[in-house]
Amino acid sequence: MPSRLTRTSARARLQKLRAAIRDHDHRYYVLAQPSIDDEAYDALVRELSELEHLFPDLVTPDSPTQRVGDQPTRTFPPVTHDVPMLSLANTYVEADVTAFDDRVRTGLAPDRPRYVCELKYDGIAVSLVYDDGRLVRGATRGDGTAGDDITANLRTIRAIPLQVPGVKGRIEVRGEAYMRRDDFERMNSEREAAGEKLFVNPRNSAAGTLKLQDPREVAKRPLQFVAYGLRMPLRGPSTHHDGLQKLRAMGFSVSRHLRRCSTVAEIVEFWKEQGAGREALPFDIDGIVVKVDELRHQERLGAIAKSPRWAIAFKFASRKAETRLQDILFQIGRVGTVTPVADLEPVFVGGSTVSRATLHNEEYIRSLDIRVGDTVVVEKGGDVIPKVSGVVLAKRQPGSKVFRFAKRCPSCGSSLFRPEGEANTYCENQQCPAQIRERIRHFSSRGAMDIEGLGDAIVDELVTRGFIRDVADLYALSQRAEDLSELDGWGKRSVANLLDGIEQSRSRSFDRLLFALGIRHVGESVAKLVAEHAGSLERLLSLTHDDFDEVSGIGPRISQSIVHFFADRSNRRLVERLSAAGLVVRAGPRSRPAQGPFAGKTVVLTGGLESLTRDDAKRRIEASGGRVASSVSARTDLVVAGADAGSKLAKARELGIRVIDEAEFLKILEETASEA
Ligand code: IVH
């Protein structure tokens, strides 16, 4: 038993245990590849601390039991850095990197630089000093010359070795203390459950943790450390890249995301790759750092003011920012959808200033408990429309009130309606001025009727002044040219331009007109299918829900919406007026798409088809680029043979023409529809 151990054998056992625990810590915290389970690990630590308890004089400061040895301190003693901790010149644009490269090349000529690109971790810079392989001091950057001695706190970070065997003399390791996003979120939800104040982001939370006066508290927080700099005067590396390899060999965690580059183009490529991959990383980065690789080159280049001439931070445009939510407004869409919109204190994010962001719907606001006056996180995602992605609860002002969604339409005052099971709320008044405006805007937009000269402001004005109440009124405007030119700021020229734009729109194709009507669920491509299927407005008005059954690409939700739209008397009247105004209300001669399974093919239909009419089959073949002929000849490419096919089928066989049955025909059509 331990008590019978001699000092000598105890010392040997202690050394073994410590080495084993260090090795397991390294595997677990740095390599993320543990080789024993927690229980076995705990047993080693227990044995170590029991043994140290018996032989207190054999306890060394670098023993794994000593990570959390210290009592709380009032203040952190200041330390002067051996070599100042510089900061980096920053940029967001390639031109600055090119200028940096030019300066480096000039400074080093005739030598040519090589660079190492690495990630710019969004954490807190720290310096670690080892004397003869023992961690003797850990400090913050402070003002660059002197920082705080936070050795006790840094010792609690398991990814920081307390000891690096075999290293003589004094070395300094610099790197970043940070928190992973998942750890940060877990910690924050625990804090929330305990009613404690929440941290804003992983970086602030790492910074706050390092400032804690009690290392025992620090030890409970999930801090990480990544090393990116080594100063080793004795037998040190000659390049930065070798330094990183050496750090890894010493047991530090070093990022694998690094690349040696020799041109700006390569640097930019790495920057783009990392920018695209940043969301997938478990921690936050805010750019890349480009460093001259050769240490003697670094020395030759030196530093200006507070930053070295041999490195630059090439940052990503931040796609998130915090700002104050000044108000929540409601926007009414053309089909009456009420969208809550955040009115924000303007903030620069992702390359532009944002003052509006979507809040989606009532449910979204409720689930995040977003309140007017809150500090919110604004995010630019893949799409252009910014959104409010969260609330900084820690900054919520006392007395804030739970947000109540509008009960009445802010534009027309009618009561709002939220269908059972739907997230959206609607204003159901078709005559609501906001809806009228949106419908007209949509009608005149690019993919629709594309009316030049009818911008948003003009639509507003025309609606407000009562010149137009629906899209058909646009085509009667020419009779009121005089009244129009009397409006403030509307010269004869601008009126003529507007009327000209409206005139030109009369010849837009039938499918564009259908899209322009703004029928719910009818986008540009569905409009094409519908125009194709119906052939004319007249026929479209007579179609029932069932008539759409066989049209692939038009499901029940769409057909219902179409039938519903045309069942409405005012909509019927509207399209009749548009038709009377001379707009195109039938599908034109189909232009043949260059691609598609039947592109350029001559097809003959023979026999009876079960699932679709001859006409429909013909239309579908033409829609995917083919021609339908009535008789089989040498120029026929394909024959679709239905039930009881007779002489045409025989002729096709005779000529060796490919014949398919209805099932195969449908399959091809289906495939085309799903590709479209
Ligand atoms: S090198 C003189 N490398 O960025 C060289 N810094 O202003 C200075 N940082 O405070 C540091 N990742 O906290 C370097 N791979 C990296 C880095 C990095 C993050 C931080 C560091 C420093 C700031 C530069």
Side-chain angles (χ1 to χ4, degrees), residues 84-90 117-126 141 174-177 203 226-229 240 244 255 285-291 306-313 315:
M85 286 181 83
L86 301 176
S87 59
L88 289 169
N90 267 341
C117 293
E118 48 194 63
L119 301 183
K120 187 171 188 305
Y121 281 77
D122 202 5
I124 307 299
V126 298
R141 175 169 176 270
R174 289 185 182 171
E176 201 85 349
R203 183 180 188 279
V226 62
Y228 52 64
H240 174 62
L244 293 176
S255 175
I285 58 172
D286 57 351
I288 64 165
V289 183
V290 185
K291 299 174 181 173
K306 293 215 164 231
S307 37
R309 280 211 238 356
W310 48 265
I312 191 167
K315 298 180 62 166

Side-chain angles (χ1 to χ4, degrees), residues 76 133 162 170 176 244 281 303 306 316 320 339 343 347 382 385 428 453 460 475 487 523 561 575 656:
F76 298 113
L162 299 178
R170 189 173 172 96
E176 201 85 349
L244 293 176
L281 291 171
K306 293 215 164 231
F316 308 130
K320 268 189 205 179
T339 306
D343 172 24
V347 61
I385 304 170
E428 293 196 303
D460 278 354
Y475 297 95
L487 291 177
S561 163
V575 292

Side-chain angles (χ1 to χ4, degrees), residues 67 178 190 305 472:
R67 284 198 182 264
Y178 67 97
E190 281 165 20

Side-chain angles (χ1 to χ4, degrees), residues 87-101 103 120 264 267-268 271 286-290 307 311-318:
S87 59
L88 289 169
N90 267 341
T91 182
Y92 293 87
V93 293
E94 181 177 339
D96 289 346
V97 180
T98 305
F100 161 78
D101 177 56
R103 284 192 304 273
K120 187 171 188 305
V264 173
I267 293 170
V268 170
W271 177 73
D286 57 351
I288 64 165
V289 183
V290 185
S307 37
I312 191 167
F314 190 5
K315 298 180 62 166
F316 308 130
S318 167

